[in-house]
Amino acid sequence: MKLRKLCFGIASGLCAAGLLFVGSASAVAQPTSTVEDRGPGRIESATPVDVPGFTAALGAPVNAWRLLYSSTDVRGNPITSSGLLLAPATGGIRLIGMGHGSVGLGDQCAPSQTYPRMADPEVPAAIEHLRRGSAVVVSDGQGLGTPGLPTYMVGQSAGRVMLDAVRAALSFPSAVRADAPVGLTGYSEGGATTAWAAQLQPSYAPELRIAGVVSGGMAADLGKAAAQLNGHPFAAFMLHTAVGLDTAYPELRLSDYLSDRGRERLPALLTTCFYEAVPREAFSTIDRFTTRNPLTDPSWLARLEENNLGAEVPAVPMYIFHGEQDELLPFEPVEALNRTYCEAGASVTFRSYPSSHFATLLQGSTDAVNWLHSRLDGIPATGCNA
């Protein structure tokens, strides 16, 4: 099987030695056209996908397409991203954009690959939205499922790619009507993605009719999240964040910081899904991979700050929920973000739960789904509970 080679960013040194190959051809969608002359959100290709598990779960036919669509990176350069569009056979009366949680950096981990096999823990959420008559679009994110490395946890990238997935879906009449109301929802990495989409929407995609945005269990402050994950059982997510930042901002040159151990372990980190990477790197610390900590370097700190939430105010109602005992992503920055939004005049419903990261997802999902569909049904949300 032919493998694609990546020779940029952190991988350049390993590629030069012929040591680093990432992703299989079957897992990587190659664009059928260039995006230089096409606006963000334009569909490049739409490939029908069989989803018998969704049809069985709903007891009614579900249509699905793997999309390649145009978007932009953090510098405004054109890119191609991928995603999965699901819809009732009769079409969706509204559109839900789902931000996926952390899945890993390997292309085979992309939701457009795993959802059709019912092999993603967020499939039940998609089924619930379909059951309520909505079409669902799930963006893989930049570099996951398409050539390149993922820009993991880079909000400036994730928000754009999500908004362009919504644009693409709304231009596909077989799935959803073009004037359908839109809701965004996500948890963990997906929660940060939807929050960034909410912040960027007024300037990046002002034409979108977004009725409400749900952001749960998110990293509002990347530096504090990385510090909490250093030496943590889920330390792989800290390492993924370093890769994501370096991919989005190649001038950071993560390769200059890597130790021999880091160079040895990096290929596996880039090619595996979270269920493989997490146990492999459990309790790892950044100093086991580097000769000096890049996350304390001024250039890295500046990019981390650029990707912290709160600099812009969402123009759409938001529902934010987080666990007070979240062991992965600290509660305090999210609480502070809510205060920032409220003081700036945003409409935010904030819910906290006395629970851990994964328990909060289970406890808070029903309330979040109900809130979102109330907004989609035209029931207004006003005020802000700081």
Side-chain angles (χ1 to χ4, degrees):
M1 181 179 295
K2 185 177 180 180
L3 301 180
R4 65 186 174 100
K5 186 185 289 187
L6 297 172
C7 292
F8 58 92
I10 63 172
S12 58
L14 294 175
C15 279
L19 298 175
L20 179 57
F21 296 85
V22 183
S24 67
S26 62
V28 183
Q30 298 292 340
T32 56
S33 62
T34 61
V35 297
E36 282 77 1
D37 298 323
R38 310 185 69 181
R42 301 287 185 90
I43 294 177
E44 297 182 44
S45 67
T47 305
V49 178
D50 291 330
V51 286
F54 282 89
T55 294
L58 264 70
V62 175
N63 295 329
W65 301 265
R66 185 158 196 253
L67 302 180
L68 287 179
Y69 62 93
S70 58
S71 188
T72 57
D73 66 14
V74 294
R75 291 183 169 87
N77 299 315
I79 60 170
T80 295
S81 192
S82 58
L84 186 71
L85 177 58
L86 300 148
T90 54
I93 59 174
R94 55 181 75 87
L95 176 65
I96 302 294
M98 288 183 59
H100 65 79
S102 298
V103 296
L105 302 184
D107 289 307
Q108 73 277 15
C109 320
S112 64
Q113 299 287 336
T114 59
Y115 269 55
R117 305 195 310 271
M118 311 295 279
D120 188 286
E122 292 178 316
V123 162
I127 290 172
E128 178 59 24
H129 293 303
L130 289 164
R131 194 186 308 280
R132 297 187 185 215
S134 299
V136 174
V137 64
V138 188
S139 169
D140 292 332
Q142 180 180 341
L144 187 63
T146 50
L149 289 173
T151 54
Y152 178 78
M153 290 307 296
V154 178
Q156 297 274 359
S157 166
R160 289 172 170 82
V161 172
M162 164 159 271
L163 291 169
D164 287 328
V166 169
R167 282 170 161 160
L170 290 174
S171 71
F172 201 78
S174 298
V176 62
R177 66 177 194 262
D179 63 347
V182 176
L184 306 180
T185 183
Y187 192 83
S188 197
E189 180 189 354
T193 295
T194 57
W196 269 102
Q199 284 197 177
L200 292 171
Q201 180 268 333
S203 60
Y204 187 78
E207 81 283 2
L208 293 181
R209 297 175 56 235
I210 298 179
V213 175
V214 171
S215 299
M218 61 180 161
D221 185 307
L222 289 185
K224 292 180 179 178
Q228 183 155 310
L229 289 168
N230 196 21
H232 190 278
F234 285 80
F237 296 154
M238 171 194 63
L239 303 172
H240 287 170
T241 299
V243 171
L245 285 164
D246 185 75
T247 301
Y249 309 103
E251 71 276 8
L252 295 179
R253 298 188 59 82
L254 179 59
S255 59
D256 289 353
Y257 296 81
L258 291 176
S259 63
D260 290 343
R261 175 186 170 86
R263 294 179 183 279
E264 176 187 343
R265 298 183 73 85
L266 183 63
L269 193 70
L270 300 180
T271 57
T272 54
C273 296
F274 78 98
Y275 53 82
E276 301 165 285
V278 167
R280 180 179 290 121
E281 303 302 342
F283 304 105
S284 290
T285 56
I286 192 72
D287 59 9
R288 294 180 66 189
F289 283 78
T290 60
T291 55
R292 63 189 193 280
N293 186 354
L295 300 180
T296 61
D297 185 282
S299 60
W300 281 77
L301 291 173
R303 293 305 191 185
L304 284 167
E305 181 63 29
E306 286 179 24
N307 288 279
N308 287 340
L309 288 159
E312 303 292 336
V313 182
V316 299
M318 292 193 69
Y319 183 94
I320 297 175
F321 69 107
H322 206 95
E324 296 171 6
Q325 305 301 318
D326 194 312
E327 73 283 16
L328 299 184
L329 305 173
F331 174 77
E332 290 75 14
V334 177
E335 189 177 38
L337 176 66
N338 178 58
R339 288 195 299 270
T340 296
Y341 284 162
C342 287
E343 290 168 0
S347 172
V348 182
T349 300
F350 180 68
R351 289 287 307 273
S352 63
Y353 295 83
S355 310
S356 66
H357 188 77
F358 298 107
T360 297
L361 173 60
L362 297 174
Q363 293 172 353
S365 290
T366 298
D367 290 340
V369 168
N370 290 337
W371 180 93
L372 184 58
H373 281 271
S374 292
R375 306 292 78 74
L376 291 164
D377 290 339
I379 301 171
T382 58
C384 202
N385 61 318

